[in-house]
Amino acid sequence: MRIVGLTGGIASGKSTVSNLFKAHGVPVVDADIVARDVLKKGTGGWKKVVAAFGEEILQPDGEVDRPKLGQIVFSDPGKRQLLNRLLAPYISSGIFWQIFKLWMKGSKVIILDIPLLFEAKMDKWTKPIIVVWVDPETQLQRLVMRDGSSEEEAQNRINAQMPLEMKRSKADIVIDNTGSLEELNEEFLKVLYEVTRPLTWTEFWLSRQGAVSVLISIAVGVVVCLLHVLLKLQVFVGSPTVLSLAAALPVQTKQVTRKERILL
Ligand SMILES: CC(C)(COP(=O)(O)OP(=O)(O)OC[C@H]1O[C@@H](n2cnc3c(N)ncnc32)[C@H](O)[C@@H]1O)[C@@H](O)C(=O)NCCC(=O)NCCS
Ligand SMILES: Nc1ncnc2c1ncn2[C@@H]1O[C@H](COP(=O)(O)OP(=O)(O)OP(=O)(O)O)[C@@H](O)[C@H]1O
């Protein structure tokens, strides 16, 4: 199985690119969706966060007031680190299960869309790593337009992440999303070709099909060895029971001649 890391800065266009992957039939695990699920009312993550930040971050219906919590953590690095620490175990196990479900379905290539891939040190699990890059002015402008936030709030969110230039330097593939959506689509098609090339042997062994092949090979090996041992036992012990056991195995057996017995 190939787990492709898709990352970048906030509003650099990760979701836009992951939608293109989905449209071409490549499954995507979205870490932002996992992070939302683990903060739903009554979950383990919700309990930890409410205990640490107090009930004033809750809406009247008991769900977390996300914009309010966002304002708190994106203007205070200490509180952001606390939130990250509290949610990290839930987010990583949520991501693991999503990947496992796709593995069970037999998906060979999956995209892990995760803004904090490097910050959360999850880059070692993904190959190749795609970074969606935009220039800083375009990033700020798109973020303000999308979220309707002030420039200051938007800049705080940008500053809360590893600088995009540093992410770019760690990438295997860079998608420059400074241009139009048409230009992005053109660049995307080249990346799609690269990402969906045949699996390497290592990736194949890590896929469900590879694991099944290994299990079948082991089972066949065990049966062959067992048969061999049983036939030998028949030679030395001369037990007809052993021979009938060997005959019951799903491998063709034949009567051992005297000459063959001597060879065995
Ligand atoms: C603070 C929260 C409640 C704000 O929610 P809100 O709906 O306003 O934003 P949303 O979750 O859609 O995130 C939007 C973007 O903000 C950035 N972002 C989110 N959390 C963080 C963080 N802890 N550090 C840096 N950037 C972050 C990401 O680029 C993300 O795509 C929420 O972002 C959150 O729970 N964050 C902590 C969980 C986390 O680390 N999420 C990132 C997924 S790995
Ligand atoms: N090439 C483009 N031209 C114009 N607008 C774009 C382009 N690419 C993305 N956008 C817009 O920029 C905004 C940010 O894009 P997107 O939501 O895909 O970013 P993101 O990296 O997923 O953000 P986040 O980190 O918050 O999840 C969106 O409103 C999107 O429609």
Side-chain angles (χ1 to χ4, degrees):
M1 184 185 221
R2 176 176 297 148
I3 306 175
V4 179
L6 175 66
T7 192
I10 184 166
S12 67
K14 296 177 299 295
S15 306
T16 311
V17 172
S18 62
N19 286 338
L20 291 172
F21 275 115
K22 282 185 219 159
H24 285 82
V26 185
V28 175
V29 171
D30 185 330
D32 276 342
I33 294 182
V34 173
R36 260 166 236 160
D37 287 344
V38 303
L39 203 49
K40 283 203 174 130
K41 185 180 169 184
T43 58
W46 179 88
K47 285 179 191 151
K48 287 255 167 78
V49 169
V50 175
F53 287 84
E55 291 196 358
E56 50 276 23
I57 58 147
L58 295 180
Q59 297 173 166
D61 65 0
E63 291 290 350
V64 168
D65 185 337
R66 300 179 64 85
K68 195 169 187 180
L69 182 57
Q71 270 168 6
I72 297 171
V73 299
F74 290 115
S75 54
D76 183 335
K79 291 195 171 145
R80 189 171 60 251
Q81 273 161 22
L82 172 65
L83 179 67
N84 288 351
R85 240 192 349 265
L86 294 174
L87 292 182
Y90 299 98
I91 296 177
S92 12
S93 55
I95 289 174
F96 173 82
W97 280 112
Q98 297 288 332
I99 293 176
F100 182 68
K101 278 194 250 170
L102 290 170
W103 184 88
M104 289 291 282
K105 273 193 188 168
S107 301
K108 291 189 181 120
V109 177
I110 66 156
I111 308 294
L112 175 58
D113 173 355
I114 171 165
L116 306 181
L117 178 76
F118 297 114
E119 292 91 331
K121 299 196 169 37
M122 287 180 80
D123 48 320
K124 53 181 175 288
W125 304 110
T126 59
K127 187 83 189 165
I129 293 173
I130 304 173
V131 168
V132 186
W133 182 86
V134 274
D135 67 61
E137 296 78 37
T138 312
Q139 184 183 18
L140 184 64
Q141 188 196 338
R142 284 185 187 159
L143 182 54
V144 167
M145 263 184 44
R146 188 194 63 186
D147 292 357
S149 50
S150 70
E151 282 206 3
E152 193 196 346
E153 276 172 343
Q155 195 60 56
N156 278 343
R157 286 208 176 206
I158 292 173
N159 295 344
Q161 299 183 348
M162 180 188 283
L164 197 40
E165 284 310 319
M166 195 181 284
K167 291 189 179 179
R168 182 189 194 164
S169 71
K170 290 168 175 272
D172 298 305
I173 301 171
V174 176
I175 297 182
D176 182 349
N177 186 27
T178 309
S180 66
L181 286 171
E182 290 71 35
E183 284 168 308
L184 174 67
N185 204 19
E186 260 177 47
E187 208 171 330
F188 168 77
L189 292 175
K190 288 184 223 150
V191 173
L192 178 68
Y193 179 78
E194 171 78 9
V195 157
T196 52
R197 71 189 188 284
L199 299 190
T200 62
W201 278 110
T202 314
E203 289 167 338
F204 174 72
W205 297 127
L206 291 172
S207 69
R208 194 196 65 181
Q209 293 82 346
V212 168
S213 312
V214 169
L215 285 179
I216 290 176
S217 312
I218 291 174
V220 168
V222 167
V223 167
V224 168
C225 288
L226 206 60
L227 186 65
H228 190 73
V229 169
L230 288 176
L231 286 175
K232 271 196 165 183
L233 278 178
Q234 199 269 335
V235 169
F236 295 119
V237 182
S239 154
T241 323
V242 173
L243 187 60
S244 59
L245 265 176
L249 285 169
V251 176
Q252 217 177 5
T253 58
K254 63 180 175 81
Q255 279 293 341
V256 182
T257 63
R258 198 178 144 67
K259 198 174 163 199
E260 283 169 332
R261 280 187 193 190
I262 294 161
L263 284 173
L264 276 165

